[in-house]
Structures are given as C-alpha cells and as structure tokens.
Amino acid sequence: MFRLTTLALLISSVTCAWAQDETLPASTISATAESVEGTQLDLDQPIASGSRLNLSARENPASISVADRAMMERIGARTFQDAANALPGVNASAPPGLGGYVSYRGFSGSQISQMFNGINLQYGAAARPIGAWIYDRVELLGGPSSFLNGSGAVGGSLNMITKLASRDKDSIEGRVSYGRYDSMETAIGINQALNDGDGPRHYARLDYSRTQSNGYIDRQENGAGNLAFSLLSDINERLSHTLAIEYLEEKEDSPYWGTPTLRPQSGELHIDKHNRFNNYNVEDGRYEQRTRWLRSITDYQISDSLQLRNTFYHYNGERDYRNLEVYRYSADNSGVVRSGAYRQRHDQEVNGNRLELTQQGELFGLASDWAYGLDYSRNQQTNYPLSISAPFDTVNPDGFAPGHWGDINGMDAPRSKGRSTWTNTSSGFVENRTQLTEQLALISALRYDHIDFDVTEHASGKKLDRRWDTVTGRLGLVYAFTPTFSVYSQYSTSAEPPGGALTSASIAQVGDLDISTGRQVEVGTKFDFLDGRGTATAAAYQIVRKNISVPSSTTPNTTEQAGQQTSTGIELAASFKVTPKLLAAANFAWVNAEYDEFNESVGGVVYSRKGKNPVNIPDKTANLWLTYDLAPGWQVGADARYVASVYADTANTMWLPSYTLYGLSSTYQMNKNLQLSARLRNLTDEVYANYIHQSNLQYYLGEPRSLELAVQWSY
C-alpha cells in the first residue's frame, strides 16, 4: 500500500510552515525567490534529448524531465543514477553484472536507452553508475524514441550529459565529502579562458573526482577516478570546435552479488536481517573497468538560419569480473550453498560519426524548422568468459571464511575468446516543427536504420550474419492556450532487434527472430500557475510492444518470444513556491504493465503468462522534496521516496515488498564562495531491496542509514 500517511506528515509540515510565514510581517522575509531553487521545474530550457530542433520541454509533444546541476546538488546526487531516480517514474539500481539497471514505463534493460551525451553504447553494463561530479545534467524522454536515437528505447531514453568548456566565466570549484562506511569524495572543476583579443578564442575545462568507500556490505571496497577535459575553440564568428576527452578507472574488491532469500521461496521473499551485510563472494573477488571517451564536435553557422554540426565519437571500454556469484540457502536455512564461479572480460569499442543540419524557414508561408542528419556507428565487443556452475562449498552464515579465487578448481585456465559481435548501424533522419497557427504546432520525425549484425562464437566456430531495416517516427501536436499553459498529443513508434542489446547477443538469442516493434499514444499538459509560483506537468500514455523476447527461465543464454506487452500509465510532476522561503516539489508515476501474449515453458510444461506483470517493475513510484530557508545563509530540507513492490518471477507468485526512504539535509552558506552541508539518508534505516535477480532470487540490499558531511566552494 502506498504510504500516504507518512508523506502526508511531510506535506503537513509545509502547510504549518506556510501558516507560520503568513503571520510574519513582510519585513521578516529576507530570502530571495532564487534561494529555494534547485528542485523547481523549468519548462522553458531547450532540451537536446527530446528533439534536434532545440525545443524546450514546453514546446515538445512528449514527457520531458531534467535533473540539472542545481537539482543534483540540492538532492545530494552522488551518481547519475541518483539523479535519474529523482525523475518521474524512474527506478534505477546497479545490480552486479547488469551495471546500470533502469525500469521506466513498464519496461527495463535494453528497452530503456541509456546514453552518454546522446550516444548509445547499446550495452547496459557500460552504464554502471559513477560519480556525478563531471555531469552537468540527466535528461529523460518518455516513451519510444527510436526516431531520435535509433533502434530500441520503447520505454524511454535517459541521457547523461557531461560538463563542457564554457564561454560564460572563469571559475574554480571543488568539493570534499565524508560519510558513513568511510565514503569519501574529492572533486575539482576549472573553467578558464585561455586567451583574449582578436583572432581565435580558446576556453578549457578540467573536472576530476575521486570517490572511495568501504561499502555497507562486508569487504566490499570501491574506488574510482573520473577525469573530463574539454577545449572549446571559436575559430571565427561562425565556426567553433569542441574537443572532449573523458577517462574513468574503477576497481571494486569482493563485489556484492546479493543476499540469498530464505526458504521456502514463495509469496513475499525474506532475508535473514541479522546477516544482511554478509558478503558471500570470495575474499579476492574483483570488478574493474577502464573507459575512454573522445568526442570531436564541429559547429558551423552557415547562415543566420542554417547550422551544421558534425560529431565524431570514440569509446573504448574494458571490464573485468572475477567472482563467486550464486548463493542459496539449504532446505532448513542453516547453511548457504555457494556456486556460480564466473570470470569474464569485456573489450568494447564504439566508433561513429553524426552529421546534423538544422534550418529555420517557412513552409507554405508558415514558420517551419527542420533538422536533417546522417549517423553511422560501429560497435564491436569481444568477451572472454570462463564459468563453473557447480557448487563450491556450503558455509555457515553466522561465521565463515570466504576463501580465495585460487581455491576454485578450474578457474585458473588461460583467458580465451568466447564471443565477438559487430553491430554496424547506418541511419538517416529528418525532423520538422511547423507552426500551423499562432497557438498550434505540428512536430513530426522520421528515421531509417539499417543494422548489420555479425556474431562469432569462437569455441564452436559458429557464425551468424543478420540484417534488419527499420523505419520509426513521431507525430505530435502542441496547442498553447497561453504562453504558460499548453496541451499536447503524440503518436510514436519504436523498433528493436531481437535479443535486446545486440552488443552481447548470442546466436541463440537472435536466431531467426523478428524485429520487436512498439507504438505509443500519449496526451499531456504543461503549465504554470499562481503567477508563476508553481509549475506542473501531467502525462497519460499507452505503449504496446509486439514480438518481444525475454530470457528463458529454463535454458541459459536463450531467448523466448513473449508475444506482446502493454503498459498504461500516468506521470505527474510539480514544483510550488509556497512562500519566498519554502519550495515543495514532487512527482508521482503509476503504470500497469502486463503481458497480453506470453507462453512460457517451465520444466517442459507451457504456461500462459497473459495478464501477468514483468519482473522488477514497480507499479508506483513517488518523490517529494521540501526546502526551507530557515535563516540568512541557512537552509534545511526533507525528502521522501516511495517504490512499490515488484514481482520476482513471471508467474507473479513471488515478490519484494514496497519501501519508503526518508532523508534530511541542511546547508550553511558561510559566504558567497563557501558552503557546508550535512545529509542524512534513509532516516528510518529501512531494510529494502532495490532489485531481485530473477533466476537466483538474490536480494540486492539498498543503503542503510548514513550521514554525509561536505564542504563545497566556488570562485
């Protein structure tokens, strides 16, 4: 049940504070309107993730949400995934192996595109959440976005956008924080004009962050360094170039692969809370990744109404796993059987180029803007797997020696190639916005993708070569009753190759399966109210996805055709400046996601899953933030996040309970350059799971109560 009671207490505190402020003389209110910004909705900022036409959220016929830098700092986002969870309907987590897991609008995995600066790596493990310092904002587009980002993305697209060199001003900023479990962050950012005067002008930006933690699970230590450098060069008044380089190194010792659920495993799944911080991985388990990004962006203003942009991009990622991953209780729950030794390396490289031309003009005497483009990418990955599924040992959860990787027989074999994939995608796209009347705008888009996929399974020598051609699009209307109140409707489509992410697909996962298609109908409204003190958005949608495939529940590394899934839902978001000192912001999402056609084979028996819900999809999520300027320089905040229960199997016979997390924060602005802050997360020390592994039924615990102190400065 949705925990309205506790949320109501927080909302009532808003009302009380409002009532108190209303009794004060006006001279006592010294805070400015800007002092409580940060979680406020901004509908007029252009958002690249929703269109190539530089449309704002208000102008776009779709649900668009943004967590910008100010919001990330206000909510204490430590990773881009924290920022994503602040957006309506998003439920993101980082289970091992899956990297960045996101559910949204009833879909998950590869059905949600996770992009970096508009580039889709087509592999979920590449979206592992890392420090938020180098990111400028996280943008979310709801529903099918194949017309914009290529194949996939039936549920929506998340775009993580990094900071770039700016012409605005020279600045130096930094942050140092320390929290429970020896969690530390040290970060610095510098933006600097390199020259002045006549001729070309150059601006540089450097950001670096270092994070480390002992982890709230035993023996799980993590450290990561993240570097971003960019150089902006204005060659002349019309031509500019940006070179952006990013590098990440991350290492995690004895990664946490989940907590086993108690037997019998039926109904609501439970864990032994006494041993919930146990780490059943071996002592020297390991996860490491090294990634490099390079982007070369050229902008040329051909004329006042015509602009050309070319983006060349290169990505290289290497990820290593070496872990004991599967844990199950014995029948009487007295011991934990450990199995699933797995060693893996991923070598991934992506190269591509995107050419875009935008034009402002007229069509039949009506104002009409166009965007045209060509896109080519080559995504290659080779994995080096070695696994032993047999049990390794049985340990007493009340006390055990974790052992070492070298104790597992057969796992010292030389590294050898398992599977290599090559995905070449060639695309052409066009987008248009025509102002039919002063109040009514028509937005349309069309995209063609040619996908050339090759896979080689080195052990058997088997090869597969497949080709797919897809056409997707969007048609939408936006009607502005006033400059601050609009309604919209849209129809959009998606196309996705079988197997989801082709980058890691096997022959068995692709085979002769057809393209998966999706379509969405959405209506909504975006408006300001009470003379701009409040802003709100509302959306209702239905998405139908056909010819979808899901992992087999009985045969590893194979795919079953699920037929059709329908997701129907609503999303609401609002921010309200209750008083000049008090800001309330909230969002709520509800979705009914179920299979319309899905026959699943279990133990040789076929079961219909019609009407059942997909795994790990909450039907409700909600966020609430209250921010109050207590005194000059002092600000306090409270927040709450609710996530509904999720099913752990496609038969919907097992589930995880819902949870609500509360937090408190306080900041003190010592002067214009220096800020101190304290943040208490999971105030009630809720024991909750943010993900359940479907085949192993392992419960991935969320973070317990923790306190973080930070110092941040800017000059």
Side-chain angles (χ1 to χ4, degrees), residues 373-375 426-430 446-449:
L374 298 172
D375 200 345
S426 303
S427 309
F429 54 85
V430 60
L446 195 66
R447 182 182 180 107
Y448 165 75
D449 289 297

Side-chain angles (χ1 to χ4, degrees), residues 337-398:
V337 181
R338 302 193 298 170
S339 61
Y342 192 62
R343 190 186 72 189
Q344 174 80 279
R345 168 169 286 182
H346 300 156
D347 281 336
Q348 184 182 6
E349 182 174 325
V350 181
N351 294 287
N353 194 82
R354 180 180 298 152
L355 181 67
E356 303 168 73
L357 184 70
T358 55
Q359 180 184 30
Q360 294 177 318
E362 292 187 350
L363 181 66
F364 304 119
L366 304 173
S368 186
D369 299 336
W370 293 86
Y372 314 88
L374 298 172
D375 200 345
Y376 174 79
S377 68
R378 179 176 175 83
N379 194 333
Q380 190 275 327
Q381 176 168 284
T382 298
N383 65 22
Y384 300 80
L386 177 64
S387 64
I388 296 178
S389 59
F392 170 59
D393 64 5
T394 300
V395 298
N396 182 347
D398 292 323

Side-chain angles (χ1 to χ4, degrees), residues 322-625:
R322 189 183 72 186
N323 301 285
L324 190 62
E325 302 176 359
V326 180
Y327 325 118
R328 288 189 174 91
Y329 274 104
S330 57
D332 60 357
N333 294 318
S334 63
V336 172
V337 181
R338 302 193 298 170
S339 61
Y342 192 62
R343 190 186 72 189
Q344 174 80 279
R345 168 169 286 182
H346 300 156
D347 281 336
Q348 184 182 6
E349 182 174 325
V350 181
N351 294 287
N353 194 82
R354 180 180 298 152
L355 181 67
E356 303 168 73
L357 184 70
T358 55
Q359 180 184 30
Q360 294 177 318
E362 292 187 350
L363 181 66
F364 304 119
L366 304 173
S368 186
D369 299 336
W370 293 86
Y372 314 88
L374 298 172
D375 200 345
Y376 174 79
S377 68
R378 179 176 175 83
N379 194 333
Q380 190 275 327
Q381 176 168 284
T382 298
N383 65 22
Y384 300 80
L386 177 64
S387 64
I388 296 178
S389 59
F392 170 59
D393 64 5
T394 300
V395 298
N396 182 347
D398 292 323
F400 61 94
H404 294 83
W405 181 255
D407 299 333
I408 307 174
N409 291 330
M411 298 308 291
D412 57 351
R415 197 182 303 276
S416 61
K417 290 183 179 181
R419 180 169 59 248
S420 295
T421 62
W422 297 263
T423 308
N424 299 316
T425 306
S426 303
S427 309
F429 54 85
V430 60
E431 189 175 0
N432 173 260
R433 178 180 186 264
T434 298
Q435 199 69 40
L436 300 178
T437 70
E438 187 175 336
Q439 294 173 297
L440 181 64
L442 173 67
I443 295 92
S444 57
L446 195 66
R447 182 182 180 107
Y448 165 75
D449 289 297
H450 173 73
I451 305 169
D452 185 345
F453 176 69
D454 295 282
V455 56
T456 297
E457 297 186 348
H458 298 282
S460 65
K462 293 181 180 179
K463 297 183 178 182
L464 178 70
D465 185 357
R466 290 293 309 271
R467 306 287 185 274
W468 296 280
D469 294 282
T470 68
V471 177
T472 55
R474 175 174 77 168
L475 190 65
L477 290 169
V478 178
Y479 188 83
F481 289 95
T482 71
T484 60
F485 173 45
S486 64
V487 296
Y488 70 87
S489 63
Q490 65 136 308
Y491 177 82
S492 56
T493 63
S494 70
E496 178 185 350
L502 287 177
T503 308
S504 58
S506 66
I507 293 176
Q509 289 173 315
V510 176
D512 297 321
L513 299 182
D514 295 329
I515 286 284
S516 170
T517 60
R519 65 179 187 271
Q520 174 185 261
V521 176
E522 180 177 333
V523 296
T525 181
K526 304 168 186 180
F527 58 94
D528 300 336
F529 58 94
L530 293 180
D531 298 322
R533 286 172 57 192
T535 304
T537 65
Y541 62 87
Q542 184 177 77
I543 304 173
V544 179
R545 183 172 181 242
K546 295 183 176 181
N547 296 327
I548 61 178
S549 54
V550 297
S552 170
S553 61
T554 56
T555 308
N557 301 318
T558 59
T559 297
E560 297 173 346
Q561 204 74 30
Q564 179 173 301
Q565 178 187 329
T566 297
S567 292
T568 304
I570 58 172
E571 292 171 2
L572 308 172
S575 65
F576 179 46
K577 198 171 293 182
V578 184
T579 74
K581 292 185 177 183
L582 180 64
L583 176 69
N587 57 56
F588 170 78
W590 168 84
V591 63
N592 177 33
E594 60 181 35
Y595 294 114
D596 303 316
E597 301 174 18
F598 179 20
N599 294 320
E600 183 181 32
S601 176
V602 180
V605 180
V606 176
Y607 297 89
S608 172
R609 302 307 187 198
K610 182 177 180 179
K612 301 298 184 181
N613 304 129
V615 172
N616 277 307
I617 304 292
D619 65 351
K620 290 184 287 290
T621 61
N623 291 294
L624 172 67
W625 301 273

